[in-house]
């Protein structure tokens, strides 16, 4: 039996206070975690007034200060970290997530399904849904609203993910209740790290719903944070439960019937 000690770190960031937000998030990572997931855009905050403002806070990956802070922490604590951050690549701007291993290596994902006003400032992701070897298993990445599209989690599962790390800034209420289904239908663990608090920097006030959630391949909620306040939730993930055989005659990937679906 291989058990991964996992954590989702629910934060309460202040827009633009990058150093403070990074320090608070990293201080909340449990020292004994093998894998810890931080929210979407955890260092900057979420609601950018313009593409120019986003460009001024976005960073290159892997050479920006947020990646450096994550890599230093990963090395010092022997923890693999997944976190969402604003990425600048030339004149392109992505709502990205990184996976940072204790050896300093850094992988990246760019959010595919942009939510609401994100479409005004970010470019949509162009790297598909990647799966990486990390902390002795396989970890797939997606960001927040990607959860709504079963193709996202399904692609990660078919690429071999046993754990889906899901940095989020949720404002709609449905995701925490839906993630057990995503976990069951793909027989993976899901780690949704959300934030709390409000932002009202444009005409729209956003209230982030908290409820960061860890789900098992058996449709169980292994841990869930409250809707209010910074909080870290942990769970041991028994990787033997990531068994695609749902019954002796049902394999959740091989039983798919793409010839019968409208794609
Ligand atoms: C979201 O995708 N941040 C709702």
């Amino acid at each position: 039996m291989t058990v991964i000690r996992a954590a989702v770190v629910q934060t309460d960031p202040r827009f633009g206070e990058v150093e403070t937000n990074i320090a608070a998030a990293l201080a909340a990572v449990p020292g004994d975690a093998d894998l810890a997931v931080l929210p979407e855009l955890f260092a900057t905050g979420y609601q950018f007034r313009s593409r120019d403002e986003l460009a001024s806070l976005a960073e290159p990956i892997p050479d920006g200060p947020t990646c450096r802070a994550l890599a230093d922490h990963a090395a010092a604590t022997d923890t693999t970290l997944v976190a969402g951050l604003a990425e600048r690549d030339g004149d392109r701007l992505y709502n990205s997530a990184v996976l940072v291993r204790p050896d300093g290596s850094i992988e990246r994902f760019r959010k595919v399904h942009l939510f609401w006003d994100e479409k005004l400032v970010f470019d949509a992701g162009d790297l598909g849904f990647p799966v990486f070897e990390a902390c002795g298993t396989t970890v797939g990445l997606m960001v927040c609203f990607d959860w709504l599209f079963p193709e996202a989690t399904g692609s990660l599962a078919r690429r071999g993910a046993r754990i889906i790390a899901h940095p989020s800034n949720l404002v709609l209420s449905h995701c925490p209740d839906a993630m057990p289904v995503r976990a069951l239908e793909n027989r993976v663990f899901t780690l949704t790290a959300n934030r709390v608090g409000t932002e009202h920097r444009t005409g729209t006030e956003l209230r982030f719903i908290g409820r960061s959630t860890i789900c098992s391949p058996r449709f169980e909620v292994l841990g869930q944070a409250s809707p209010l306040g910074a909080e870290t939730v942990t769970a041991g993930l028994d990787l033997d439960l990531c068994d695609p055989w749902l019954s002796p005659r049902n394999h959740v990937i091989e039983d798919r019937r793409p010839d019968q679906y409208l794609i």
Side-chain angles (χ1 to χ4, degrees):
M1 179 170 96
T2 306
V3 176
I4 300 279
R5 290 179 304 264
V8 291
V9 178
Q10 179 165 296
T11 60
D12 186 8
R14 298 285 171 272
F15 187 90
E17 298 183 18
V18 172
E19 283 181 26
T20 309
N21 294 336
I22 292 174
L26 293 179
V29 175
D32 65 347
D34 299 309
L35 172 65
V37 183
L38 279 48
E40 178 182 10
L41 298 167
F42 85 102
T44 54
Y46 179 78
Q47 201 177 34
F48 299 93
R49 288 197 173 116
S50 67
R51 196 168 159 93
D52 283 348
E53 183 182 62
L54 169 59
S56 74
L57 285 162
E59 303 176 17
I61 295 174
D63 293 325
T66 302
C67 283
R68 276 198 292 279
L70 292 167
D72 289 349
H73 193 88
T77 60
D78 200 25
T79 303
T80 296
L81 297 171
V82 174
L85 75 164
E87 177 189 2
R88 190 177 63 244
D89 181 11
D91 61 358
R92 311 288 285 172
L93 298 168
Y94 299 102
N95 187 342
S96 295
V98 287
L99 180 147
V100 182
R101 300 185 188 86
D103 67 4
S105 56
I106 296 183
E107 312 285 0
R108 122 181 56 194
F109 163 72
R110 293 169 171 164
K111 184 175 186 175
V112 169
H113 303 98
L114 298 177
F115 180 69
W116 201 349
D117 285 350
E118 289 172 33
K119 292 189 175 188
L120 303 180
V121 293
F122 285 105
D123 297 295
D126 55 1
L127 300 176
F129 289 93
V131 175
F132 304 107
E133 300 279 340
C135 53
T137 185
T138 45
V139 180
L141 304 186
M142 64 178 190
V143 170
C144 203
F145 194 51
D146 287 323
W147 78 268
L148 190 83
F149 302 86
E151 291 86 350
T153 42
S155 298
L156 292 170
R158 291 200 294 285
R159 290 198 172 117
R162 300 172 104 189
I163 299 173
I164 294 179
H166 182 210
S168 295
N169 273 194
L170 297 162
V171 292
L172 304 179
S173 62
H174 318 95
C175 178
D177 300 319
M179 288 314 288
V181 179
R182 294 286 179 267
L184 173 70
E185 69 196 3
N186 294 294
R187 301 288 268 182
V188 296
F189 289 95
T190 62
L191 304 174
T192 300
N194 195 26
R195 61 164 287 185
V196 294
T198 57
E199 288 187 14
H200 196 171
R201 306 189 67 258
T202 68
T204 309
E205 182 180 41
L206 296 176
R207 183 172 300 278
F208 300 95
I209 67 162
R211 300 182 69 208
S212 298
T213 303
I214 301 178
C215 300
S216 87
R218 292 184 173 171
F219 195 62
E220 299 155 324
V221 174
L222 300 182
Q224 189 169 83
S226 87
L228 303 168
E231 183 180 341
T232 298
V233 174
T234 61
L237 313 184
D238 175 0
L239 296 178
D240 289 348
L241 299 184
C242 300
D243 178 358
W245 289 100
L246 200 57
S247 82
R249 298 193 196 283
N250 293 104
H251 187 287
V252 295
I253 293 176
E254 289 172 8
D255 274 14
R256 294 172 59 255
R257 298 283 311 279
D259 59 313
Q260 299 295 309
Y261 306 150
L262 180 65
I263 307 272

